[in-house]
Amino acid sequence: MRKTPAPSLATNVAIALNAVIAVVDGDRPKVLCVRAPSGGPGQEAGRELALPYGPFDPERHRTFEIGVREWVERQTHVTLGYVEQLYTFGDKGREAPAAALAGGAGERVVSVGYLALAPGLAELHAEDALWADWYSFFPWEDWRGGEPAILRELIIPGLEGWAGAADSKEQKKARQARVNLAFGLDGFGWEEERTLDRYELMYEADLVVEALRDRGDEKTQTPGTGVAMISDHRRILATAIGRLRGKLKYRPVIFEMTAPAFTLLQLQRSAETIVGFKFHKQNFRRSVEKSGFVEATGEMTGETGGRPAALFRVDRDGLKDRAAAGLAIPRLRRPGD
Amino acid sequence: MRKTPAPSLATNVAIALNAVIAVVDGDRPKVLCVRAPSGGPGQEAGRELALPYGPFDPERHRTFEIGVREWVERQTHVTLGYVEQLYTFGDKGREAPAAALAGGAGERVVSVGYLALAPGLAELHAEDALWADWYSFFPWEDWRGGEPAILRELIIPGLEGWAGAADSKEQKKARQARVNLAFGLDGFGWEEERTLDRYELMYEADLVVEALRDRGDEKTQTPGTGVAMISDHRRILATAIGRLRGKLKYRPVIFEMTAPAFTLLQLQRSAETIVGFKFHKQNFRRSVEKSGFVEATGEMTGETGGRPAALFRVDRDGLKDRAAAGLAIPRLRRPGD
DNA sequence: ACTATATATGCTCTAGTTGAGCATAATTAC
DNA sequence: GTAATTATGCTCAACTAGAGCATATATAGT
């Protein structure tokens, strides 16, 4: 028997706060990005995209969330609504690109990722900031027009090749099972919130540029599998999208991203934009109308291109009463099912 | 227009890894605790309980998870199964007690909390480590014997008093709404996974000792509201319990905590122990049997005190096939509903 | 004015799920 | 034996979710 020693805590770690600031712009989901101050060696392609990030200053910030809000609002002039902590990323290998990014030496950089939702595109005041469509980073995640061609043509074959290239029979089966689960193959359904699983598999299978880059590989292209980001920011973004997609189902967060008044179809399009596939319209109305989240304003809009639609607004009281619930998000129906 | 400056990252932060190691022992949920090396000033009561924690050593640990596994296994000789990151806690105010705990000076300590599940009580080799019943920290969370008396007698009145003591009418309503939602009052149901919301409200309302202690208050007792822990460890534990309770519903994590063979009632008791209330037995069987998670071993056990029960084991293939699903956890039925 | 087309909105039908309870079976404790 | 205890099978009613039919009210084009 020995006593548990009081551990001493190491100090040579820096903390960065990363924010995924998500908005819906019509039928495009967007995320605030910055152009990073030029990539590492072999990256003359210019300035890679990064999530906005800031230092965590323990002197000035009582909490992480205060820190995030503070520098986001100062640097981008975007006012954040809903904010939640996502995950803390501390893997080694992050540090090389991240340290370059920070201009610092080779100390370990840990980043705490945050997801923030805003009600619409804010005007940007920094010249190297932009709103990017998040499906440009994850083209395989957008099923609104049916199954993305890139999946059948390139990604699934690539993943099956990777699974088949494993050493043992056991390993092959294990890899294939992961692929099936994440990508909804072989009897599994496509679960929209598994964005991180899918990205990680693609990374392991060398289907995204970051995998090659992080190894210092020659090849710097993986056509069709989306735009790369600096460091592990695309992984952070994948985490954020998955979290947001899941959250829609059990918290009324969609209303953090809507205009003050909207038609039910606009609300549906917002949800579909995030979730990445289309819903049955009448069922969606039914569930929203009985949810208590919205109330009719009594006004109509004629800008629909068809019969005018009733305008709704958020029912603040209803929202409070049902803060424990979310929208009824159906499952993705594949034509063949 | 100005360029986003490359932020410099501060370094005077230490990272601790905290682990909530949870097991189910019959009908008691347990968590590994250590006796902290004597509390702060005014805490002569001896050694407060703490979650086991260790330093994150950026030199030696490629990832946080590796770090957690390493020091847990080294210090406690408990082998961890399932491990997941919970949340990163960085609030100011943590640091005073946490720094004392670390024996260090007044630097900011950030801790990354982890939830780990193990299949049973491991023998402990450190004399100041122990398995504690987690409901000793949260007596109001255990509804298996009906609504805990302490809730109606003490906690709810205390919270309503706190709500009523707010400055403005608005504030009062807002506070009361939070209480209703978290504690399932006024038409809301009790949601077992809202453990953190409940703990936070009780902290704000001065119903747990930590609230008084963190302010340096004279009073050091809040009878009936559970055992205190050092620093914000009870909050970390509340986070872990909520996460685990929620996770049961959509991932088959319960099987990380079960013996190799079990009866369906034993499985049910394990789930009830975690969730904190009892289920309808026949419905639970029905859902488990058709879930594909388990298969009959063909053997029976006579140790039930009644008719012998069939023994089941985890169906590893079924688990893989259904890794996307969890147990069907019903809602808490209150007698009056 | 008439027609095609687009969106809005109401309603129904079916299959499946969930909550609850009845009934019977096979043990042990006294 | 009888009571108590646990196991297990089955049914019923309420509710939910997926799908589609039908009708209403616009705009655009001829």
Side-chain angles (χ1 to χ4, degrees), chain B residues 260-287:
Chain B
F262 45 82
T263 68
L264 293 183
L265 187 58
Q266 283 167 346
L267 182 66
Q268 180 178 344
R269 293 281 177 254
S270 299
E272 289 170 342
T273 297
I274 293 168
V275 171
F277 56 84
K278 296 210 173 165
F279 313 153
H280 182 284
K281 195 195 221 177
Q282 296 94 316
N283 289 348
F284 184 81
R285 300 184 120 258
R286 176 175 60 188
S287 73

Side-chain angles (χ1 to χ4, degrees), chain B residues 9 12 47-48 57 124 141 147 194 202-203 225 239 285 289 296 332:
Chain B
L9 301 172
N12 49 339
R47 324 207 302 167
E48 269 187 300
D57 179 350
L124 300 177
E141 294 288 345
E147 176 165 359
R194 292 189 174 270
M202 290 179 63
Y203 184 100
T225 57
T239 306
R285 300 184 120 258
E289 288 190 294
L332 172 64

Side-chain angles (χ1 to χ4, degrees), chain A residues 305-324:
Chain A
R307 173 174 165 178
L311 280 171
F312 289 78
R313 73 169 78 88
V314 177
D315 179 340
R316 292 288 159 198
D317 292 337
L319 250 204
K320 255 175 222 147
D321 287 355
R322 309 234 356 184

